Amino acid sequence: MSDMGSTSNMLRIKIFLSVALFFCACSSVTASVSYDDRAIVINGHRRILISGSIHYPRSTPEPKWGHLKDLHKAIKLCEPALVSAYPKVTQPGNNLEVHEFRSKSACAAFLANYNTRSPAKVTFQNMQYDVPPWSISILPDCKNAVFNTARISSQTSQMKMTPVGSGAFSWQSYNEETVSADDSDTMTMQGLRDQIYITRDASDYLWYLTE
């Protein structure tokens, strides 16, 4: 337990330092940043940081960005409760969990169905919610489910492949020599440089040479 606590504290410290460094880098922004065990506090306002990634080849075909945008919006609606209360976790049935965040002024709930095949009816605060298999429903006000991870309501797009004539594109090939450490535009340093910063000029790509 002590190792887990130490890891959790280190993570909070890293998040705090990242936020503090961000505001220090923005010379035109003056902010007071602190943290506790639930939220980052910026200029007296409690905030949560939302970060995530998606493995596109393993995700559903459509949509991707729109679905994540809706999820982000739902989480932001839950923010007042998430930063002000610890979750109360209950299990209303087999493979079902309810995580309720309730404070004096806000309430948010997450209804989870861990069954990978069957949908479930979850009873919460004398109301029933249909939760698809292997999904989570988000209730920013503990009443209305505004988002479910298995239901996609965002606008989808379909790619249409259209054949073109042989002269539609002009292709050229080039033979380029491999970069050498003796070239005039090389630089030497310990570790890796930020690739986006280095190639912000007219460069097309960046070579790394190691010894």
Side-chain angles (χ1 to χ4, degrees):
M1 293 297 291
S2 60
D3 291 341
M4 293 178 62
S6 176
T7 301
S8 178
N9 288 334
M10 286 299 297
L11 177 60
R12 294 190 189 108
I13 292 173
K14 288 180 179 179
I15 293 174
F16 169 70
L17 290 177
S18 298
V19 175
L21 289 173
F22 169 78
F23 280 102
C24 288
C26 301
S27 58
S28 61
V29 177
T30 302
S32 172
V33 182
S34 61
Y35 78 101
D36 57 21
D37 56 351
R38 289 192 300 275
I40 299 292
V41 182
I42 302 175
N43 287 339
H45 298 284
R46 302 168 66 82
R47 292 288 183 262
I48 56 174
L49 301 180
I50 300 176
S51 177
S53 61
I54 185 171
H55 192 290
Y56 281 97
R58 296 182 182 178
S59 65
T60 55
E62 285 286 349
K64 296 182 177 75
W65 160 246
H67 199 206
L68 292 178
K69 183 174 67 173
D70 292 344
L71 173 60
H72 179 270
K73 181 179 179 180
I75 295 294
K76 289 295 290 182
L77 291 174
C78 299
E79 184 179 32
L82 296 179
V83 301
S84 303
Y86 290 105
K88 176 185 177 183
V89 182
T90 57
Q91 296 177 329
N94 190 31
N95 291 324
L96 301 177
E97 276 190 2
V98 174
H99 294 246
E100 179 184 1
F101 296 79
R102 182 179 295 275
S103 66
K104 294 181 180 180
S105 58
C107 181
F110 297 80
L111 314 182
N113 178 12
Y114 296 128
N115 191 305
T116 58
R117 296 184 178 181
S118 302
K121 289 187 178 294
V122 180
T123 301
F124 176 65
Q125 291 190 348
N126 299 321
M127 296 182 64
Q128 278 197 340
Y129 299 87
D130 294 320
V131 183
W134 195 244
S135 70
I136 299 174
S137 291
I138 301 177
L139 289 64
D141 57 357
C142 285
K143 294 180 182 179
N144 301 296
V146 301
F147 184 88
N148 179 274
T149 56
R151 295 192 180 109
I152 298 176
S153 59
S154 301
Q155 182 179 0
T156 61
S157 60
Q158 296 292 334
M159 182 179 296
K160 182 179 180 181
M161 305 297 290
T162 303
V164 297
S166 59
F169 299 100
S170 177
W171 298 94
Q172 293 180 322
S173 63
Y174 300 90
N175 293 323
E176 296 187 9
E177 296 182 2
T178 304
V179 67
S180 170
D182 298 327
D183 291 349
S184 59
D185 58 348
T186 60
M187 62 182 68
T188 304
M189 67 168 298
Q190 296 290 331
L192 296 176
R193 293 293 298 269
D194 183 272
Q195 186 166 337
I196 295 179
Y197 176 79
I198 294 296
T199 57
R200 190 163 298 192
D201 53 14
S203 302
D204 292 323
Y205 49 82
L206 177 68
W207 286 90
Y208 284 109
L209 299 178
T210 59
E211 294 182 358

